């Protein structure tokens, strides 16, 4: 390992998701973090992780949750569909060139990891690993808790999860 410029992998929302959803905040936060890490003498690398296909049971549970949310808050669905339509129309008429920015400015890792074993084999010897971005802990997917990195080398940065408290 190059100790002068140790590699620090960063796991955030997948870069393809940022492009697809035109998420300015995630993209610019990733770029800012990368610049700071470089100034501190590290070599940041954006991990590409593709979630495995959900099981049949999990897909059914997702559909049931969606039906519940629609029944409980129908105005949210109408508002969300309207916002998505407006957003899609705006993106089509005002291209933002996210792919070009990512290609030119972010150090994105290749290949894409598709399992915890691949994450572990590619990154367990890293100096440290950072997880970050808004809504990273919206699910309990184990990769977002950096279990493929030894304890003591896991860093959480600007991570949030939705409020789910009762009462």
């Amino acid at each position: 390992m190059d100790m002068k410029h140790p590699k620090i992998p960063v796991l955030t929302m997948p870069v393809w998701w940022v492009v697809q959803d035109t998420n300015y905040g995630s993209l610019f936060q990733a770029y800012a973090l990368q610049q700071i890490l470089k100034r501190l003498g590290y070599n940041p690398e954006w991990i590409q992780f593709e979630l495995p296909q959900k099981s049949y049971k999990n897909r059914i549970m997702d559909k049931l949750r969606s039906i519940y949310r629609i029944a409980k808050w129908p105005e949210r669905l109408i508002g969300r569909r309207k916002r998505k339509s407006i957003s899609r129309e705006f993106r089509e008429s005002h291209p933002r060139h996210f792919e070009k920015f990512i290609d030119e400015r972010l150090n994105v890792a290749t290949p894409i990891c598709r399992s915890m074993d691949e994450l572990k084999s590619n990154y367990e010897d890293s100096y440290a690993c950072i997880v970050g971005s808004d809504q990273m802990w919206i699910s309990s997917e184990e990769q977002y808790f950096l279990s493929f990195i030894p304890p003591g080398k896991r860093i959480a940065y600007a991570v949030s999860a939705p409020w789910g408290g009762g009462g």
Side-chain angles (χ1 to χ4, degrees), residues 97-152:
H97 310 290
F98 277 85
E99 294 90 347
K100 182 178 179 187
F101 182 89
I102 290 166
D103 288 343
E104 292 177 359
R105 310 261 178 172
L106 290 182
N107 184 20
V108 179
T110 53
I112 296 172
C113 294
R114 291 185 169 83
S115 71
M116 288 300 292
D117 288 338
E118 288 180 13
L119 285 171
K120 188 171 184 170
S121 68
N122 286 326
Y123 298 108
E124 74 177 335
D125 293 331
S126 299
Y127 180 78
C129 188
I130 299 173
V131 66
S133 189
D134 187 37
Q135 302 292 315
M136 287 301 293
W137 292 334
I138 197 167
S139 72
S140 59
E141 301 291 339
E142 66 179 317
Q143 74 274 3
Y144 296 133
F145 294 92
L146 304 179
S147 58
F148 57 93
I149 297 289

Side-chain angles (χ1 to χ4, degrees), residues 19 25 29 33-34 43 46 56 63 65 68 71 84 98 104 108 114 119 126 140 151 163:
V19 170
Q29 179 181 324
L33 176 59
Q34 175 179 283
N43 182 18
W46 299 96
Y56 184 70
K63 293 291 182 198
R65 279 189 215 99
Y68 170 77
K84 282 190 173 194
F98 277 85
E104 292 177 359
V108 179
R114 291 185 169 83
L119 285 171
S126 299
S140 59
W163 173 251

Side-chain angles (χ1 to χ4, degrees), residues 19-164:
V19 170
Q20 173 187 329
D21 200 42
T22 316
N23 192 317
Y24 293 101
S26 293
L27 181 61
F28 295 134
Q29 179 181 324
Y31 179 70
L33 176 59
Q34 175 179 283
Q35 296 309 102
I36 295 297
L37 289 170
K38 282 181 174 181
R39 284 187 200 151
L40 293 172
Y42 297 103
N43 182 18
E45 178 178 274
W46 299 96
I47 297 172
Q48 284 296 295
F49 184 77
E50 188 174 286
L51 288 171
Q53 184 73 316
K54 287 185 176 184
S55 71
Y56 184 70
K57 177 185 172 187
N58 286 346
R59 289 193 305 251
I60 289 173
M61 291 304 294
D62 285 349
K63 293 291 182 198
L64 291 174
R65 279 189 215 99
S66 294
I67 291 168
Y68 170 77
R69 285 193 297 266
I70 290 167
K72 189 168 182 181
W73 301 293
E75 68 279 356
R76 266 180 85 185
L77 175 67
I78 294 165
R80 180 177 291 160
R81 283 194 176 160
K82 184 176 181 181
R83 284 190 309 274
K84 282 190 173 194
S85 174
I86 291 169
S87 179
R88 183 176 39 258
E89 289 170 12
F90 183 82
R91 282 194 312 268
E92 288 170 0
S93 62
H94 299 84
R96 294 296 179 216
H97 310 290
F98 277 85
E99 294 90 347
K100 182 178 179 187
F101 182 89
I102 290 166
D103 288 343
E104 292 177 359
R105 310 261 178 172
L106 290 182
N107 184 20
V108 179
T110 53
I112 296 172
C113 294
R114 291 185 169 83
S115 71
M116 288 300 292
D117 288 338
E118 288 180 13
L119 285 171
K120 188 171 184 170
S121 68
N122 286 326
Y123 298 108
E124 74 177 335
D125 293 331
S126 299
Y127 180 78
C129 188
I130 299 173
V131 66
S133 189
D134 187 37
Q135 302 292 315
M136 287 301 293
W137 292 334
I138 197 167
S139 72
S140 59
E141 301 291 339
E142 66 179 317
Q143 74 274 3
Y144 296 133
F145 294 92
L146 304 179
S147 58
F148 57 93
I149 297 289
K153 294 183 172 192
R154 303 172 189 168
I155 301 167
Y157 166 79
V159 182
S160 67
W163 173 251

